[in-house]
Amino acid sequence: MKNILKLQNVQKYYGNENQLTKAIDNISFSVQEGEFVVIMGASGSGKTTLLNCIATIDTVSSGHIYLEEQDVTELKEQNLAKFRRENLGFIFQDFNLLDTLTIEENIALALTINQKSKEEIEEKVHKIAKELNIENILKQVPYQTSGGQKQRCAAARAIIHEPKLILADEPTGSLDSKNATELLEILNNLNRKHHTTILMVTHDPYSASYANRILFLKDGNLFNEIIRGEKSKQEFYQEILDVISILGGDMGNAI
Amino acid sequence: MLFKLSLRNAKRQAKDYIIYFCTMVLIIALLFSFTALMFSDDIMQLSQLMKEFKTAIIFVNVFVVIVMGFLMNYIMKFMLAKRSKEFGIYSILGIEKKQISHIYVLENLIIGVIALILGIAIGMLLYQLFTAIIMNLFEQTYAVHMPIKIETILLTIIYFCVIFVLVLYKSNRKIKKTKDYDLLYAERKNENSKLKKKRGNIFVFCVACVLCVIAFFILQQAIKSDGDVNMGAICIAIVLFIVGIYLFYISFSVCLSKFFLENKKRKYQDFNMFLYRNLSFKINTNSITMGTLATLLTITFVGLTIGGVIQEMINLEMEIQYPFEVEIEFEPDVDTTHLEEKIKQEKGFLELFEYTTYEIQEETQISKNLQNIGPYKQYMEYYTETVLKLSDYNHLRKMLGLSEIQLEEGKYILQIVDFAKKYLSEEQIKEVQIGQNNYILQQICTENMGQWYFNGHIYFIVLNDNEIEENLLFQGEMDGKKLVASFSETTSEEFFDSLQQLVEKENRVMEINGEIVSVETDTAYVTTKGNRLMETRTTLTIFSFLLFYIALIFIIISATILAVQQLHDAEKYRKNYDLLKKLGVEKEKIEELLWEQLFIYFLLPVVIPIILGFIIMFPLEQLFITVIDISTILLYFLKVVTMFLVIYMMYLLATYVELRKIIED
C-alpha cells in the first residue's frame, strides 16, 4: 500500500526569540491509503496545530508534509485553496454548518465550490444522504435538526467530493454517546467500504478505539504509537487506557 | 473595576459601530450648522423674507431631532442585543441590574458626548461653508469669522439631551426588566429561522405590484393637465404606494429564493446558493425596516426632484417675465410723472419708455389654437388679445438690444414664449381675423419681451401703426398703459419700496357677490427685477437648503441602518466565510462574495424607490407642463439619484472595508 500522507521532521514554533513555544517539536510519521489514524494527546499537546498544518490552514516552521507526491509546505498561497477543495475533507467539533442553508444545500456546498454540474450534485447528495441516513431531513435547516443529524450532515459534506484525506477535529466532542457511536460507525464504514483515509484528532479513548492506529502526542513530540492489528475493540480500548496512564493519566476532561 | 471592564468591552465593540458614530457626528453637525444659520445676523440681514427661513429651520430641526431619536433607538436595540450576554454574565456573578444599567448609561454618555463635541466642531466648519454659499448666492462678499452665538451651542445640546435621555431611559428599562436567562441566550433567538411558506408570499408579492400599478393610475387621473389637482386622490395614491412598498419587501425574500434557488441549475451555479440564502434570510428578518427605508427614499427622490424642478421653473419664469428692470402697468388716466422722476434719479438708469397695449375681447384663431392644447387651457379661459404698435414694438426691441423688424402691409408678427411655440400649428394661424380685418402671418418671434404676463399672456400680436389707428375697435377701455425702464445694474429692494410708496391709492366701487363695495386699490402695478430677484432668490435658497438638509439626513440614516445591520452580524459572517476558506475557496473569491452580498443588500432598498420615482415623474409632469417638459424632469431625477448614490456608495464602501477587516482577522 502506498503512503498517502507523509510528515518529515515537522516543527512549529510560536512566539519570538525571548519566549519560544514549541507547539510541534519534531514529528515524522506517515499514513497509508485506507488507514484510519487517530492522534491523541492532552490539551496543549499540539494535536490541533498538527492537524491545521496538514490542512494547510497553518504553516510549518520547518519540515515537510507530503500528500501523495505533493509537498504541501511548498504550495503557493494562491494554490492552497484549490488544493484544499480537491484533496481534503473537514469535520469539525461544532459542525460548522451554515444555518441559512438547508441540510441538502450544506452538503452540496462542497460540490458547488468544485463547480460540478447540477445532475452530479443532486445524484451524489442523495446517494450520500441515504448512506448516512439523513434523507428525511434534507429540506430542513440545521436549527430544526439534532446534534447527531448535524454532524452526519457535516460528515456528508466532508466526503461528498471524494477527498484523498478526511481530517476530523474532535468530531464527537459535541455529541452524546449514542450519537457519537453512530458517527464513529459511519466513519468506520467509510473507511472499511470505501477505503477512505481518515485522520482524526481526539482525546476521547472510546472514539480512538475505532482507529487502525493511534499516535500519542506529548509536548509536541510523538510519545507512542499503538496498532490495533487483530485485537478486538475492547482489548484495544484497554491498551489505549494503559498508554494514557503512562502518559500522565489525564487526557483532558473527556474520560 | 466593573466600569473598567465594561469600558474595555465597549471599546472592543466600538469598531462595529464606527459608521453609526460617524453618522451621529454628521447629524449633530448639520443640526448645529442650521441652528447657527438661524441665529446668524449676516444671513437674516440679507433679505426681508429670511424671517421665514428661521421658522422653517425650527420646524425641520424638530423633525430631524425626532428622526435622529428613532435612529438612536434602533441602534441601541442592536447594541443591547449584542452585549446582553455580557450583561447576563455580570448579573449571574451577582452584580445588581441597577449597577449594570448605570454602566451602560455611562458608556453611552461618554460616546454621546464625544459625538456631540466632534459634531459641534464640524458643524462650525459647515456653518462657515453654508454661510459662504448663501452669501455667494446673494452676490455678497463674506470673510470667514466666528460669530457663533452661545444660543446655538445651547440649543444643540438641548436637542441632543432630549433624544439621549429618552433613548437611554428606554434601553435602561429594558435591561432592568429582562430576565437573566433572556440576557444570556439573546443571541440564540436570532438563529431561529424557518423557511417561510412560499405560496402565500408570492400572492402578497403580486398584490404589492398590483397596488403600485393602481396607485400609478390614480395619480395620473388625479393630476390633470388643466391644472386641477385632486388632493384626495393623491393621498389615496400615496397610501397605496406605501402599502405596496411594504408588501413588496415583506414578500421579496421568498421570491428571491424562488427565483435563484428553485431552478437547480442556477442554484448550484457558482455561489448563488450561499449568497441568496444569506440574503433572503437577512431580508426576511429586516423586511419592515427595508420597507420603511424604501418609503423614505422614494419620498426623498420625488421630493428632491420636484424641488429642483420648481427651482428651475421659477428661474425660467424670472427670465421670461422680466426683460426690463422696471415694469409698471397703470390705468390710462393715472399721472405717473412722479414715478418717472424717481426712476430717472436712480443709479444706473438708462432709458424710460411709455406705450399702450391694445386689448380686443374677441377670440382669434391663435387663442383658439392654444385653447385646444391641454396645458394652456387655464390661461385661455378669459382671454383678451393684446396688440402692440410696430413703432412701440421696435422701440422695445431696441431697448433690449434686439434688431428692428419691418412689417409688410396687411401682415402681423406673433411674439410668443418659447416653450409654447411647439404647440402652435402654423398652418392654422396663417391668416387670422383681428378686429375687422384679416392679417397674414409674417413671422413668429420668441425673444422675451414680456409676453408672459406683462404684454399679454403667452403671446402678443404686432400690427403696423396705421392699422391700429384706423381701426376704432381697438380703442377699448381695456387698453393698458405700460411703462418700462432699463438700467445698467440690478436695482435694490429699497428702490422698489420707494416706488411702491409713490403709487397713489384710489377707491374703486366694485361689485362683489352682488354687493356694491368700495375697495382701495393701487392705481399702478409696479414690479422691479431687482426686487423679484431678491424675493425668489431668498425663497429658493431657503427651499433648496432645507430640502438638501432633510434629504441628506434621510440618506445617511438609511445607509447607517443598513451598515449597522450588516456589521451586527459580522461574527456570524466571519464563521461562515472561515468555513468557506477551509472548504477551499480562494481569498479573492471570498472578498468578491462579501462585496456582492453587501452590494445587493444595499441596493435592495434603493431599486424600488428609483423605479417608482422614475414612474411617478410621468404623471407629475402635468404639474409643470406649461414651462418644463419631461426630459428636463427626468434629467433632474437622474441628478438626484446620482448624488444620492455617491453618498450611499461611501457608506457601502466603509461597511465593506470594516466587514472585510473583521472577516480576515
Side-chain angles (χ1 to χ4, degrees), chain A residues 52 57 77-78 80-82 84-86 88 90 92 94-102 104-106 108-110 112-113 115-118 121-122 125 139-141 143-144 157 161, chain B residues 188 190-195 261 263-282 572 575-589:
Chain A
N52 281 340
I57 295 165
E77 175 77 29
Q78 61 261 38
L80 280 180
K82 189 168 184 293
R84 275 203 290 271
R85 70 170 175 252
E86 283 171 0
L88 302 176
F90 290 92
F92 309 93
D94 51 358
F95 324 132
N96 258 343
L97 297 178
L98 298 177
D99 50 11
T100 51
L101 266 56
T102 61
E104 183 182 19
E105 289 160 353
N106 264 298
L109 191 64
T112 59
I113 291 170
Q115 293 175 342
K116 300 286 188 229
S117 72
K118 88 166 206 251
I121 292 177
E122 290 212 303
V125 168
K139 301 288 175 201
Q140 290 175 3
V141 286
Y143 152 73
Q144 295 164 303
R157 184 183 61 195
H161 58 296
Chain B
R188 269 193 204 175
N190 297 333
E191 319 249 322
N192 301 358
S193 79
K194 276 185 193 167
L195 293 177
L261 304 173
N263 179 330
K264 289 276 156 79
K265 195 168 172 212
R266 205 176 285 140
K267 173 175 173 174
Y268 291 132
Q269 203 178 42
D270 240 15
F271 287 88
N272 280 351
M273 192 170 74
F274 177 77
L275 193 62
Y276 290 100
R277 273 278 188 250
N278 262 355
L279 272 171
S280 69
F281 174 75
K282 197 90 183 97
K572 207 162 112 195
K575 254 171 74 185
N576 287 356
Y577 283 105
D578 194 47
L579 175 71
L580 284 190
K581 208 169 100 191
K582 283 183 181 157
L583 290 181
V585 182
E586 281 90 359
K587 195 177 151 209
E588 295 77 33
K589 186 75 201 169

Side-chain angles (χ1 to χ4, degrees), chain A residues 155-191:
Chain A
R157 184 183 61 195
I159 57 176
I160 194 162
H161 58 296
E162 292 157 13
K164 293 190 181 120
L165 180 65
I166 289 176
L167 299 170
D169 189 0
E170 306 268 11
T172 54
S174 304
L175 300 177
D176 59 52
S177 58
K178 180 175 165 285
N179 278 314
T181 308
E182 235 174 73
L183 181 78
L184 289 165
E185 286 296 341
I186 285 167
L187 292 179
N188 204 17
N189 252 334
L190 283 171
N191 177 245

Side-chain angles (χ1 to χ4, degrees), chain B residues 19 103-104 164 233 245 252 328 345 400 478 480 534 537 579:
Chain B
I19 291 178
I103 293 166
Y104 184 67
F164 215 75
I245 291 173
F252 184 70
I328 303 174
Q345 282 162 16
L400 292 170
M478 296 293 287
M534 199 52 108
R537 206 180 263 161
L579 175 71

